[in-house]
Each structure stands twice: as structure tokens, then as C-alpha cells.
Amino acid sequence: MRRVVITGAGTINPLGADVPKTLESMREGRCGIAELDIRDLDRLAIRIGGQILDYHPEDRWNRQQIALYDRYTQFAMIAAEEALKQSGLTFTGDLAARSGVVLGTAGGGLQTSDENYRTVYEEGKNRVHPFVVPKLMNNAAASHVSMAHNLKGPSYTVATACASSNHAMGQAFHMVRAGMSDVMITGGSESMLCFGGLKAWEGLRVMSKDACRPFSANRNGMVQGEGAAIFVFEEYEHAKKRGAEILCEVSGFAMTSDAGDIVMPSKQGAARAISGALVDGKIDKSQVGYINAHGTGTAANDKTECAAVADVFGHHADELMISSTKSMHGHLIGGTGAVELLACIMALRDGVIAPTIGYEEPDPECALDVVPNEARDAEVEVVLSNAFAFGGLNAVLALRKH
């Protein structure tokens, strides 16, 4: 099977408006979580989040475009443009036909849904904009990225809640490795920080009112964020032939289903996904130096994930570094695995391990090296990125230094 490498990366998220700013924030352990600036905040119990502030879509697009681009689509477009600029690729002829897009999202155009429910139910209007459906559909971002860059191959959206972008990137990896495509634009985008989105999540009683503290004994829940990260997955020989800069190699991917509870995670399901990614990538456990954890800051997730890692790696688990960047940018739901992949690339390329900030009290049930509060310099050859979603859907990517 063919080898797959990453030749471009782009992002916009609470830590930065591009990749360099985001990596700088991760290195410095900055927190992008603060009080939200949204409509009807006073009606919410949860008033914090990883929000992208000082953002003005009218500086980038005209009114007609904004009428078609929900906020989550806008984020995907921005991130894709940065990724493709770094890759140096342009898509014409056969390459356009053999290149596509697969993105992850959970809420899709939730901002558009929220605005139009308000229009109809609160304001009592009987007419909405004719583009509401194409603006809110979950495939809108993938479709607009394909149109903007002339990508005529497989293009679609994956929606698996918190694992959406990892599942999307795994599918992109499979398509390039199997020869279905030479290049795939992939990642995820999300923007659920609106009254309706947050009010729904409040009902789950898993949200923190003050901070995200993964693995810390005094954690009290997750914090939502928003944003996107997009990558260029390219067949190795194709990238080598054109002299592309290679950020890292995607070596393995696995996905499993707990087939258990709709919200409670399973140690066995997570462990099978981690083990599967190692087997798929022909990776020995001892080669793994860092895991970017799902690490939501809820007791159920943190303890289950640490137990799964300990089961898979045995004694080597004590040598691993495992951190959750959600402590800095929040949980981007369908886009979160994509933003977290930036931390994995930073670990491989720069030898910098992003920290778990907000860590205050050791938890005996999370007795791993969680890189507390400060980034760490460390050379690693192989990293994993975990994503475990509601519905018991698990997706793990394995990356190697190139």
C-alpha cells in the first residue's frame, strides 16, 4: 500500500488565527477559554468557552458569500486556504480529478439553525432566507472547499460527534493509501457557541462553569470551543517528486464501536482503537512517545482513557507523555481532533510536547505523565491522536516523524 504524508496545515481556533500563532500558544500553555460574547448569555448557566474573538467575516467575503457560509464553513475555508498555500498545490486536470475533500463536523451549520429558529419562533416571521438549507447542511464546508479549490474527486462529510474529524482524516488516509486519490484535503470544523447549542449541552450536565482541567482530581467538566483545522494528505511519491515539504507521515488508523452506552465510554472500545492503530501502522508499542489524549475534563472520559492507555501499553505507559490541549482551546466537538493534530505535528517536527494546563491535583486513576501545565522539550518518533465520541465511536490516528 502507498505511503501517506502531510504537506500542508491550516487553522483558526481560540489559540490563534493560523498555525504559527496556534503552535506558539500551545508552547506557552496559553488558555483560549474566557467569558463568551454571544446573544442571550444571561440566560445560560455556562458562560465560558473557547471562542474566536475579534473575527470579522466581512473583511474576507462579500454579502452574497456570507449568505452562503455559516460560521463553521467560514472557519473551514480559512483553514483550507492556509493549508493549501503551504502545500504549494494547485488542482487542474488529472490532479483535480484525483483530489477531494473529507471533513468532520458534528453540528454543521448550527449557528444558522439557531438564527432562523429565532426568526421564526421568537420574532414570529414567516419567511427565512432562501439559502438557509444550503447554509446549514453538514456537507456545506466540504462542498465550498471543493468548489473554491477545484477538487473534483471524493468529497463528503463525516459526523460522529466528538470523533468526527479523526474519522474524516482516517477516511482521507485510507483513500490516498489505497490509490483512490492522490491528494485529500481533510480535517474538521465546528461552531456551536450559540445560545441554542450551549443550552442543549447544558442539559447533559457535563460542562464546567470555570475551566477545563483534564486529568486533575478537581476537574468539573468540559468546556466547548470553536474553530477548524485542515490538512493536505498526499501520496508520498507524489509529494517527493514535486519537492514538497513533508510535515510528517500518517502511518496508521483504527476505528471501533463500543456497542454499549450512548454517553458512557468503554475502556475496551478505546483500547481496541489504540491497538488497532498500532497494528495498522506496524508500530511497536515502545516506539510511541506521545499521545494527544481525548482528555475532555470529565471524570468518566479521563479515567476510561487512562485505563485504556495503561492496558494497551503495559509498563511502557509509564514512559509515555499524554496531554490534552482541550485544556487550552476547549472541546471543538467535530473539529477537535483536527486542531489536536497540530499538537501531534509539533511534537514530531519541533520536539515540543503541548501541556495539559489547569492541572492542580493528581488523580490516582489518571496516574500517567500528563505533561502538567508547561510544555516540554522531547524528541519523539511516533505519536497517537485519540478521539472517543458519544455513541461509543472511537478513532485513533498514528503519525511518524519524517
Side-chain angles (χ1 to χ4, degrees):
M1 289 184 286
R2 309 191 314 169
R3 293 170 65 188
V4 182
V5 294
I6 299 178
T7 56
T11 192
I12 178 170
N13 68 78
L15 298 180
D18 54 29
V19 171
K21 290 185 180 70
T22 298
L23 298 186
E24 180 183 1
S25 293
M26 287 182 175
R27 284 192 294 268
E28 295 185 2
R30 288 185 202 150
C31 185
I33 295 168
E35 182 168 291
L36 293 167
D37 179 15
I38 62 172
R39 187 173 173 181
D40 287 335
L41 186 64
D42 61 323
R43 294 179 59 197
L44 292 169
I46 303 300
R47 300 180 182 181
I48 62 167
Q51 188 175 14
I52 296 172
L53 301 173
D54 195 27
Y55 173 73
H56 308 286
E58 61 274 9
D59 293 343
R60 294 177 178 269
W61 296 290
N62 60 41
R63 288 179 60 189
Q64 289 78 16
Q65 290 171 310
I66 292 172
L68 278 170
Y69 299 165
D70 182 89
R71 189 173 170 98
Y72 103 101
T73 296
Q74 295 170 23
F75 293 159
M77 297 282 280
I78 291 166
E81 184 177 350
E82 182 186 5
L84 284 165
K85 184 177 180 180
Q86 182 180 28
S87 77
L89 286 165
T90 54
F91 298 93
T92 58
D94 289 343
L95 182 59
R98 290 187 53 78
S99 303
V101 187
V102 54
L103 300 182
T105 189
L110 191 66
Q111 298 271 359
T112 298
S113 297
D114 196 54
E115 291 163 10
N116 284 278
Y117 269 99
R118 241 185 240 284
T119 298
V120 173
Y121 292 109
E122 186 174 312
E123 299 172 10
K125 295 182 180 178
N126 290 324
R127 186 175 296 176
V128 297
H129 196 285
F131 288 159
V132 166
V133 169
K135 191 174 181 180
L136 64 78
M137 61 192 187
N138 279 35
N139 64 299
S143 296
H144 283 298
V145 169
S146 73
M147 291 185 283
H149 300 285
N150 197 39
L151 301 158
K152 297 183 176 181
S155 295
Y156 61 99
T157 296
V158 175
T160 54
C162 312
S164 298
S165 52
N166 266 27
H167 274 111
M169 292 186 290
Q171 294 304 301
F173 168 61
H174 281 162
M175 282 188 280
V176 176
R177 186 169 70 171
M180 293 173 62
S181 301
D182 293 326
V183 177
M184 290 296 295
I185 311 308
T186 187
S189 183
E190 201 79 271
S191 182
M192 300 175 76
L193 298 180
C194 57
F195 177 77
L198 287 165
K199 183 56 72 176
W201 276 90
E202 279 184 1
L204 284 165
R205 301 179 183 177
V206 296
M207 305 279 283
S208 171
K209 293 183 178 182
D210 57 2
C212 181
R213 303 183 188 90
F215 308 122
S216 187
N218 64 335
R219 62 189 172 276
N220 58 3
M222 58 171 276
V223 176
Q224 278 206 50
E226 65 176 356
I230 306 291
F231 303 91
V232 179
F233 281 22
E234 186 172 354
E235 193 271 323
Y236 171 65
E237 294 296 337
H238 186 274
K240 183 179 175 182
K241 184 176 180 180
R242 66 184 188 86
E245 179 187 9
I246 293 172
L247 303 182
C248 66
E249 181 171 357
V250 187
S251 294
F253 174 67
M255 46 190 168
T256 65
S257 174
D258 295 348
D261 193 274
I262 196 69
V263 292
M264 291 300 293
S266 157
K267 180 183 74 169
Q268 290 77 19
R272 286 191 298 112
I274 294 168
S275 296
L278 297 176
V279 171
D280 188 51
K282 297 179 174 60
I283 297 164
D284 188 86
K285 297 171 188 178
S286 64
Q287 294 177 279
V288 179
Y290 169 62
I291 298 176
N292 186 283
H294 191 56
T296 61
T298 65
N301 175 84
D302 290 359
K303 293 175 182 181
T304 301
E305 184 167 17
C306 288
V309 169
D311 274 12
V312 171
F313 288 95
H315 294 302
H316 184 61
D318 295 331
E319 307 299 320
L320 281 170
M321 294 170 286
I322 176 170
S323 70
S324 171
T325 58
K326 287 182 179 72
S327 58
M328 292 183 271
H329 52 66
H331 193 338
L332 278 63
I333 316 299
T336 202
V339 172
E340 289 160 0
L341 203 73
L342 294 168
C344 294
I345 295 172
M346 181 174 74
L348 292 169
R349 282 180 60 82
D350 304 331
V352 177
I353 307 300
T356 305
I357 69 167
Y359 186 83
E360 295 175 352
E361 299 178 24
D363 181 346
E365 293 188 74
C366 298
L368 299 174
D369 179 1
V370 299
V371 195
N373 299 318
E374 293 184 2
R376 188 179 303 169
D377 293 331
E379 293 296 319
V380 293
E381 297 296 322
V382 177
V383 304
L384 300 182
S385 180
N386 290 347
F388 309 129
F390 279 171
L393 307 182
N394 311 302
V396 177
L397 285 156
L399 287 78
R400 289 181 185 270
K401 180 182 287 189
H402 180 79

